Amino acid sequence: MGSSAAPWKHHLLNSLNSNSHLKHSIYLQLATVAPNGRPSNRTVVFRGFADNSDKIQINTDSRSRKIEDIKYCPFAEICWYFTDSWEQYRINGRIHIIDSTNPNPVKLQQRERAWFDSSIRSRLQYLGPSPAAIPSLKDTSFQEPSLDPLAGPVDAFCLLVLDPEQVDFLNLRSNKRITFASRCSSINGEKIWTSTEINP
Amino acid sequence: MGSSAAPWKHHLLNSLNSNSHLKHSIYLQLATVAPNGRPSNRTVVFRGFADNSDKIQINTDSRSRKIEDIKYCPFAEICWYFTDSWEQYRINGRIHIIDSTNPNPVKLQQRERAWFDSSIRSRLQYLGPSPAAIPSLKDTSFQEPSLDPLAGPVDAFCLLVLDPEQVDFLNLRSNKRITFASRCSSINGEKIWTSTEINP
């Protein structure tokens, strides 16, 4: 048992590095709870940590169903399995929605940076028809839209930020499992992490 | 829109076949809802379909936390991403626990078959210390147990059976997405599936 600043992040950066030759190494599964109370689960792309913190960024379409899920229950669990190093991270925490209506200018800037950090191809998705909807006549005749590379985020572009509270790290090669838990410091409100080795 | 018997199963069998050279192609992420109302998510191994049906089998330890989750909320969503063919299946449905205390002899036989279908190495896991627990002095001095290959399932061995109600299939190469929904026939109670192409 010990305490330090996000000790699991060091492991995760190592895993990202040792699996970086695989395109799918930045794909992870994000579980939420739907308004009907059932779990939902989908693959999303890791878009880095927010400003050197331990907060995980994910881009999504504000018209997608996961937004309704997060408004209903603001918690998520990431399951991230690295296929080459046989390592799994389960990251549980509160998830924040930063969309075009966000009143905080700092958060809007963060969303804008995430937009410009995405490829033009990724950005074009947000100009397409509404995800998971039945195609309308308009959609089927949908022309590939053009996009000014200097234009800021469109309304459908939404940044999700997961603030980890608990992390479970399993290494299937060494058969080691560590659980990381956080609490808020009573002095400055900062997260304090403790880690414990548990049975795999 | 059309109706037939589990039309998504045919796609899934194709995906399993085209990704079978990858050890991790049978790994999927299972999301449940924990008793605190938050989602949980972990990698599990696909153990086949139950008796030629569309029901998905997963082996687990009856001492693992997912059992508590399923007792609290008996629904789960699988997210299964095939890294070579760029296909994703999201499979939502009710999940059933078949453990050693199950009163139904047919279900106990199904559990026994799942036990004997597992490798000796897999079976040995269920003789190990309790998963996610802090190792006790007993655990740290734990000797690799021996197992009679003809001995039936141990108490900790548990079969989970997911009965799909809704399936979302996304092919990232062709950018096609199909949603499959089921309802019970009013005539014989059998599941009737319909499929609809939706926006990716």
Side-chain angles (χ1 to χ4, degrees):
Chain A
M1 183 99 57
S3 97
S4 76
W8 52 269
K9 193 181 166 182
H10 160 78
H11 292 280
L12 183 56
L13 291 172
N14 276 345
S15 305
L16 274 163
N17 195 44
S18 61
N19 292 267
S20 61
H21 57 291
L22 299 168
K23 180 190 156 71
H24 63 259
S25 64
I26 56 165
Y27 292 2
L28 51 92
Q29 277 70 39
L30 181 78
T32 52
V33 180
N36 65 4
R38 293 194 188 194
S40 20
N41 204 4
R42 77 288 283 163
T43 306
V44 295
V45 179
F46 171 67
R47 300 288 183 177
F49 293 99
D51 317 307
N52 276 324
S53 71
D54 60 1
K55 293 177 187 166
I56 288 170
Q57 295 199 153
I58 294 158
N59 298 342
T60 194
D61 196 303
S62 62
R63 300 166 296 176
S64 73
R65 285 195 205 127
K66 63 177 93 55
I67 299 295
E68 290 162 45
D69 291 5
I70 297 165
K71 283 180 177 163
Y72 168 75
C73 168
F75 295 97
E77 186 159 292
I78 281 172
C79 182
W80 199 347
Y81 183 68
F82 290 91
T83 56
D84 220 39
S85 58
W86 299 16
E87 292 165 304
Q88 173 184 266
Y89 296 82
R90 297 172 60 181
I91 306 173
N92 198 301
R94 194 175 272 270
I95 189 159
H96 302 272
I97 299 170
I98 307 179
D99 65 12
S100 63
T101 68
N102 199 292
N104 185 331
V106 176
K107 297 205 164 164
L108 284 177
Q109 268 175 26
Q110 192 182 350
R111 171 174 171 265
E112 195 176 72
R113 273 200 305 280
W115 171 261
F116 287 114
D117 284 346
S118 309
S119 67
I120 298 285
R121 197 187 149 88
S122 290
R123 290 182 220 169
L124 279 169
Q125 283 175 18
Y126 299 94
L127 280 78
S130 197
I134 295 171
S136 65
L137 206 61
K138 197 175 108 254
D139 295 337
T140 49
S141 65
F142 202 80
Q143 294 288 311
E144 190 68 17
S146 64
L147 181 71
D148 175 0
L150 299 175
V154 296
D155 277 356
F157 181 75
C158 180
L159 176 64
L160 299 178
V161 181
L162 180 90
D163 190 2
E165 293 178 14
Q166 185 147 17
V167 177
D168 185 301
F169 169 45
L170 173 67
N171 185 320
L172 281 176
R173 277 230 176 83
S174 63
N175 215 24
K176 292 260 180 206
R177 184 173 173 186
I178 307 171
T179 182
F180 300 91
S182 70
R183 59 180 178 82
C184 276
S185 157
S186 56
I187 298 160
N188 56 10
E190 273 182 24
K191 258 189 273 183
I192 297 172
W193 287 94
T194 53
S195 67
T196 315
E197 195 174 328
I198 55 174
N199 292 326
Chain B
M1 184 98 58
S3 96
S4 76
W8 53 268
K9 193 181 166 182
H10 160 79
H11 292 281
L12 183 55
L13 291 172
N14 276 345
S15 305
L16 274 163
N17 194 44
S18 62
N19 292 267
S20 61
H21 56 292
L22 299 167
K23 180 190 155 72
H24 64 259
S25 64
I26 55 165
Y27 293 3
L28 52 93
Q29 277 71 38
L30 180 79
T32 52
V33 181
N36 65 4
R38 293 195 187 194
S40 20
N41 205 4
R42 78 288 283 162
T43 306
V44 295
V45 179
F46 170 66
R47 300 288 184 177
F49 292 99
D51 318 305
N52 276 324
S53 72
D54 59 1
K55 294 177 186 165
I56 289 170
Q57 296 199 153
I58 293 158
N59 298 342
T60 195
D61 195 304
S62 61
R63 300 165 297 176
S64 74
R65 284 193 206 129
K66 64 177 92 55
I67 299 295
E68 290 162 45
D69 292 5
I70 297 166
K71 283 180 179 164
Y72 167 75
C73 168
F75 296 97
E77 186 159 291
I78 282 172
C79 182
W80 198 347
Y81 182 68
F82 289 91
T83 57
D84 220 39
S85 59
W86 298 17
E87 293 166 302
Q88 174 184 264
Y89 295 84
R90 297 172 61 182
I91 306 172
N92 198 300
R94 193 175 273 270
I95 190 160
H96 302 271
I97 300 169
I98 307 179
D99 65 11
S100 63
T101 67
N102 200 293
N104 184 332
V106 176
K107 297 204 164 163
L108 284 178
Q109 269 175 27
Q110 192 182 350
R111 172 174 171 266
E112 194 177 72
R113 273 200 305 279
W115 170 262
F116 287 113
D117 284 346
S118 309
S119 66
I120 297 285
R121 198 188 148 88
S122 291
R123 290 182 219 169
L124 279 169
Q125 283 175 19
Y126 299 95
L127 280 77
S130 197
I134 295 172
S136 64
L137 206 61
K138 197 176 108 250
D139 295 336
T140 49
S141 64
F142 201 79
Q143 295 289 310
E144 189 69 18
S146 64
L147 180 70
D148 175 0
L150 299 175
V154 297
D155 276 356
F157 181 76
C158 181
L159 176 65
L160 299 177
V161 181
L162 180 89
D163 190 2
E165 292 177 16
Q166 187 148 16
V167 177
D168 185 300
F169 169 46
L170 173 67
N171 185 319
L172 281 176
R173 278 228 175 85
S174 63
N175 215 24
K176 291 262 181 203
R177 185 172 172 187
I178 308 171
T179 182
F180 300 91
S182 70
R183 59 179 177 84
C184 277
S185 159
S186 56
I187 298 160
N188 56 11
E190 273 183 23
K191 259 190 273 183
I192 296 171
W193 288 93
T194 54
S195 67
T196 315
E197 195 173 329
I198 55 174
N199 292 326

